[in-house]
Structure formats: C-alpha cells, structure tokens
Amino acid sequence: MTDENILIMAHTDAMFEGALDNASGIVMLLEIARYYAAIPREQRRRTMTFVTTPDHHHGAAGIKWINQNMRDFLDKTALIVNCEHPSQTQTYRLGSGLMTSTTTSARRWFVGGSEALRRVVLSSLRTFGVAIYARPEGRPGGELQHIYTHAPSFHVIDHIFYHSDADTEDLVPAWGIEAVTRAYLKIIDSVNRMEIGELLAQKGEPPR
C-alpha cells in the first residue's frame, strides 16, 4: 500500500547435509511468505520482497549483486530480515564426547538501526523464548554482513555445527525454528506500525 518494502532473505547453498545452514533458514523464509500471502493486500502496509541468494559459501555473489544494483530499492526498505541458522540443539562436552539436551542453544544476534527497533527485536525474542547471547555481534555475520548498512536490519544466527558433517536434521529442532519464525513475524508486524525514520539509527545514538 506504499512504495516502501520489507526484504526477507535466505541463502540457498550448503555444505554437507546443510540442515542448519541453511535449510532451516529457507524453511523460515517460506513460512513467513505463506503467512503474509494469506493476509489481504490492503492490510499489508509495505511490499514484502523475498529473496534467496546463491554463493554464500564462495564469495556471496548473489547478495553482493543486490548490494550493487538495487540501491533505489534499498533506499525504500524499512527492514532487512535475514533467515539463517535459527535453531540447533544445545550440546555439552561430557567425558570424551558430546551430550545433546532437550533445548536449543543460544544464538548470536544483531540489530542495525534505532534503539526503538532494538527494543522491538529483543522484546519479540523474549516473548517467544528465543535464547540469545548476552551481547550482540559488533557487526553481523552471515549473509547480512554484505547489506546491513543500507537499511535497518536484524537477525539471529546459530553456529555450532555448521560447515561440518554434524549439520544434520536431528540436531535442528522444528519447534526452535517455529519460535524464531513467530518472533520474526511479531517484529515485522511491529515495524509495519512504525515509520522508516523511527527505525533508522539516530545521530548521536551509541552503536549497539
């Protein structure tokens, strides 16, 4: 209903089985698309743009192309949402091996934008029980690192067994993906009640 947009992205390539990295992120992106497709257009304030990118593990050519060729689009982007590594089983060292648990591990996280956006993100993650590190990333890892400076953005990202043959489906709980997806939907809905100016980092605001 406006010329503004929200960009939801996930990279498609993987190493080994790639259950966490990044089949779990693709699942999130598809579910977010399904959710908003069921909402009448006149009830959606901003255009929802879904992008999958290749080449994440070999130079990130896909997201770099967007960064270089879609500046006008990014100038009207209220929020960049990165779906990457949302859910993995918490494990512990036990003797000479590893012990799995009945919960998910805490995630790295990043919010690029205003303090108001940061509060929305952290509140939504708490609401759905998404465990995160006590401190955010200084700058985002993953696919978001190539694009986060162009618009308000956020993600959570787990990283224990990725890039290894332990990145298997049995260590990626579906209920953990669901919790993060619900939190992301709440964040997007909250952002759609805010102006872009409220989401951008304000002059003099300390980095987060």
Side-chain angles (χ1 to χ4, degrees):
M1 303 304 292
T2 71
D3 63 351
E4 299 170 357
N5 65 83
I6 290 178
L7 173 64
I8 299 97
M9 66 185 201
H11 74 80
T12 56
D13 54 318
M15 296 182 181
F16 301 94
E17 292 186 29
L20 176 70
D21 178 16
N22 190 34
S24 61
I26 293 293
V27 166
M28 280 186 63
L29 180 144
L30 292 172
E31 185 60 16
I32 293 170
R34 185 203 64 79
Y35 174 83
Y36 283 109
I39 297 175
R41 179 179 178 181
E42 60 272 11
Q43 294 180 26
R44 288 185 267 123
R45 177 180 181 182
R46 296 180 169 110
T47 297
M48 311 292 293
T49 302
F50 295 86
V51 173
T52 58
T53 56
D55 195 45
H56 170 77
H57 294 106
H58 301 92
I63 199 68
K64 287 180 180 178
W65 187 93
I66 293 171
N67 192 7
Q68 294 165 2
N69 294 280
M70 296 177 64
R71 294 298 179 89
D72 291 343
F73 172 90
L74 293 171
D75 286 344
K76 294 183 179 180
T77 297
L79 186 66
I80 300 172
V81 180
N82 184 36
C83 301
E84 192 169 353
H85 314 186
S87 171
Q88 193 165 60
T89 298
Q90 176 68 64
T91 58
Y92 298 89
R93 290 184 62 184
L94 185 64
S96 60
L98 294 173
M99 174 60 70
T100 57
S101 72
T102 59
T103 190
T104 56
S105 56
R107 293 82 163 173
R108 291 155 39 198
W109 62 281
F110 175 83
V111 179
S114 66
E115 177 61 25
L117 175 60
R118 184 175 184 269
R119 288 195 298 268
V120 165
V121 171
L122 294 181
S123 173
S124 300
L125 295 175
R126 282 195 299 270
T127 295
F128 292 97
V130 178
I132 56 174
Y133 286 6
R135 293 190 299 273
E137 297 176 289
R139 56 173 290 166
E143 198 78 333
L144 189 58
Q145 67 183 292
H146 303 291
I147 199 172
Y148 77 100
T149 59
H150 296 299
S153 60
F154 81 95
H155 72 183
V156 300
I157 181 169
D158 208 331
H159 64 122
I160 303 302
F161 289 124
Y162 69 164
H163 301 175
S164 80
D165 60 5
D167 188 358
T168 58
E169 181 182 358
D170 58 322
L171 288 177
V172 183
W175 53 267
I177 300 174
E178 178 184 357
V180 176
T181 304
R182 288 179 180 273
Y184 274 34
L185 291 170
K186 182 174 174 58
I187 292 164
I188 294 168
D189 284 345
S190 298
V191 163
N192 270 331
R193 294 191 291 270
M194 302 168 72
E195 302 297 328
I196 287 183
E198 297 177 77
L199 303 167
L200 293 166
Q202 305 301 309
K203 186 176 181 180
E205 211 170 49
R208 297 291 178 180

